[in-house]
């Protein structure tokens, strides 16, 4: 059975304030652990009323403490927002506390608007252009201790020094990250749920060009998709209306809490809005378990994905848990039939 994982943004709804959204994430993680999901990742976003997760490392510790088996990680830490030493220290601490269960997923986007990005980074050294590669190299050097002779960081140790940096994954939505992940020999997760770039092209390129390194000996590509599953196609379609309106608003720069189905149905739509929703639905897998499985299989096969990571954002928390239950049962039934 293709391993199943979860990407969680701790989505805020019009009926669920941010603090409750965080508690729902912990509840969902417990549920996923019991269902057999292999990985639970938390995102980093800032200044978004629709997302309650600005500090994934804090949520990782909370979730790892109340689960037993599932790996918990960042999906991801936006590296340009942080000093690499701080990232190394925090994730080495998590690895020390929960050995073998932590993942360090890294992204290069700010995860926010320009003003908030400036507020996050104004105490960091500002470099011209995209400094992601430089920061990634520095993060790796805190683990390898491969500083040049005479470098001042030779006398600085990322503590706890008896815990390794957990497995590092590069996140992406284009060919840039797939190429980089292949070159540096790390895991790669592709964000099909919002990418305009072809997922199959990104993941197969990563696999074909992967170079074994100390970080990973074989490639591992995660396909991240958005899905809403219910007992029937009609019920799933109704639940997904909240995501339709949320995406429409986000495309307009309106990062408001996720609306209820009733609020979404009352939203006044133009013909252009309906066309935009139809385009966005092409990235969203909606339906009964059999419908979604049938839609997923061609993409999984074309991309040669090693793992499927799913983000489900429904207004009702129980409906979200049910969606993940139905998906896990569908994949288990497929495995049993095979």
């Amino acid at each position: 059975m293709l391993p199943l994982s979860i990407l969680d943004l701790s989505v805020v709804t019009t009926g669920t304030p941010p603090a409750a959204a965080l508690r729902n994430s912990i509840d969902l993680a417990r549920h996923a652990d019991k269902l057999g999901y292999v990985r639970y990742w938390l995102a980093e976003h800032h200044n978004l009323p629709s997302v309650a997760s600005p500090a994934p490392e804090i949520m990782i510790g909370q979730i790892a403490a109340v689960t037993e088996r599932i790996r918990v990680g960042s999906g991801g830490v936006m590296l340009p927002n942080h000093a690499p030493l701080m990232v190394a220290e925090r994730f080495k601490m998590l690895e020390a506390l929960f050995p073998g269960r932590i993942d360090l997923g890294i992204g290069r986007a700010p995860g926010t608007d320009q003003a908030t990005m400036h507020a996050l980074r104004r105490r960091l050294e500002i470099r011209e252009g995209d400094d992601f590669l430089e920061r990634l190299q520095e993060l790796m050097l805190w683990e390898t201790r491969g500083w040049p002779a005479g470098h001042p960081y030779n006398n600085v140790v990322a503590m706890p020094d008896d815990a390794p940096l957990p497995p590092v994954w590069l996140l992406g939505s284009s060919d840039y990250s797939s190429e980089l992940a292949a070159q540096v020999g790390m895991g790669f997760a592709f964000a099909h749920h919002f990418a305009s770039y072809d997922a199959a092209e990104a993941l197969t390129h990563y696999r074909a060009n992967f170079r074994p390194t100390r970080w990973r000996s074989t490639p591992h590509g995660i396909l991240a998709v958005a899905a809403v599953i219910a007992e029937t196609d009609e019920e799933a379609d109704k639940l997904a209306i909240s995501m339709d309106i949320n995406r429409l608003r986000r495309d307009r720069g309106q990062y408001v809490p996720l609306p209820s189905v009733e609020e979404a149905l009352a939203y006044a739509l133009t013909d252009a809005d309906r066309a935009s929703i139809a385009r966005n639905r092409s990235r969203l897998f909606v339906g009964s378990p059999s419908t979604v499985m049938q839609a997923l299989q061609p993409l999984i096969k074309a991309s040669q994905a090693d793992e499927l990571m799913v983000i489900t954002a429904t207004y009702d928390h129980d409906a979200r848990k049910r969606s993940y239950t139905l998906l896990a049962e569908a994949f288990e039934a497929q495995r049993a039939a095979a």
Side-chain angles (χ1 to χ4, degrees):
M1 184 177 72
L2 189 72
L4 293 176
S5 298
I6 292 176
L7 173 62
D8 183 18
L9 273 64
S10 301
V11 174
V12 180
T13 76
T14 56
T16 309
L22 295 174
R23 290 191 290 270
N24 281 345
S25 290
I26 294 173
D27 180 64
L28 178 61
R30 286 195 185 104
H31 183 65
D33 196 30
K34 294 175 183 176
L35 288 173
Y37 280 81
V38 301
R39 213 178 301 275
Y40 196 101
W41 281 4
L42 291 306
E44 176 190 337
H45 288 284
H46 303 273
N47 194 32
L48 295 183
S50 57
V51 179
S53 177
E57 63 274 16
I58 294 178
M59 288 298 292
I60 290 168
Q62 294 295 311
I63 288 174
V66 298
T67 52
E68 297 179 359
R69 179 202 49 80
I70 197 167
R71 297 189 66 94
V72 192
S74 55
V77 166
M78 300 295 105
L79 187 57
N81 293 341
H82 308 279
L85 174 59
M86 293 295 291
V87 175
E89 288 178 333
R90 290 166 183 171
F91 278 83
K92 284 165 75 70
M93 280 186 66
L94 288 167
E95 181 66 24
L97 292 169
F98 309 101
R101 292 186 56 208
I102 304 300
D103 292 323
L104 173 51
I106 293 174
R108 57 192 285 258
T112 190
D113 57 88
Q114 290 294 313
T116 309
M117 180 183 74
H118 181 268
L120 286 165
R121 303 180 186 182
R122 72 189 191 95
R123 297 293 184 184
L124 298 176
E125 179 185 354
I126 302 300
R127 301 172 177 87
E128 293 296 327
D130 186 345
D131 63 353
F132 177 75
L133 280 176
E134 184 178 347
R135 290 178 180 275
L136 179 63
Q137 182 182 36
E138 182 178 326
L139 177 63
M140 298 302 99
L141 284 169
W142 287 117
E143 178 69 9
T144 64
R145 307 298 306 164
W147 305 105
H151 195 285
Y153 290 173
N154 271 315
N155 297 320
V156 182
V157 177
M159 294 294 290
D161 62 353
D162 62 337
L165 203 64
V168 180
W169 301 77
L170 297 188
L171 282 54
S173 58
S174 68
D175 57 341
Y176 175 87
S177 293
S178 67
E179 177 69 31
L180 179 59
Q183 289 182 359
V184 299
M186 294 177 179
F188 176 57
F190 184 82
H192 171 272
H193 54 293
F194 65 79
S196 58
Y197 193 80
D198 182 63
E201 174 67 23
L203 284 163
T204 54
H205 179 86
Y206 160 71
R207 178 176 294 279
N209 294 277
F210 182 86
R211 300 176 183 175
T213 64
R214 63 169 290 161
W215 308 109
R216 179 175 290 277
S217 60
T218 58
H220 190 104
I222 298 176
L223 172 65
V225 303
V228 177
I229 305 165
E231 274 75 5
T232 67
D233 289 348
E234 294 75 18
E235 184 182 354
D237 187 71
K238 185 177 180 180
L239 290 171
I241 290 173
S242 296
M243 292 184 72
D244 292 336
I245 299 303
N246 189 57
R247 179 57 188 260
L248 184 66
R249 287 170 164 174
R250 288 190 65 172
D251 288 346
R252 295 173 174 174
Q254 301 171 5
Y255 295 92
V256 295
L258 187 78
S260 67
V261 170
E262 292 73 23
E263 290 169 326
L265 287 171
Y267 193 86
L269 295 173
T270 65
D271 289 341
D273 291 339
R274 294 185 181 91
S276 178
I277 288 173
R279 287 193 299 271
N280 289 329
R281 272 289 180 110
S282 66
R283 297 193 188 98
L284 183 60
F285 296 87
V286 179
S288 66
S290 60
T291 296
V292 170
M293 290 294 286
Q294 186 176 4
L296 279 171
Q297 292 308 316
L299 181 59
I300 291 172
K301 182 177 180 180
S303 66
Q304 302 176 37
D306 298 294
E307 186 175 327
L308 183 70
M309 180 170 282
V310 181
I311 178 171
T312 299
T314 59
Y315 180 84
D316 183 78
H317 180 60
D318 288 335
R320 182 164 67 141
K321 291 171 67 176
R322 183 61 179 159
S323 180
Y324 283 117
T325 298
L326 291 171
L327 182 65
E329 291 175 351
F331 270 84
E332 177 58 30
Q334 183 186 67
R335 184 201 64 78

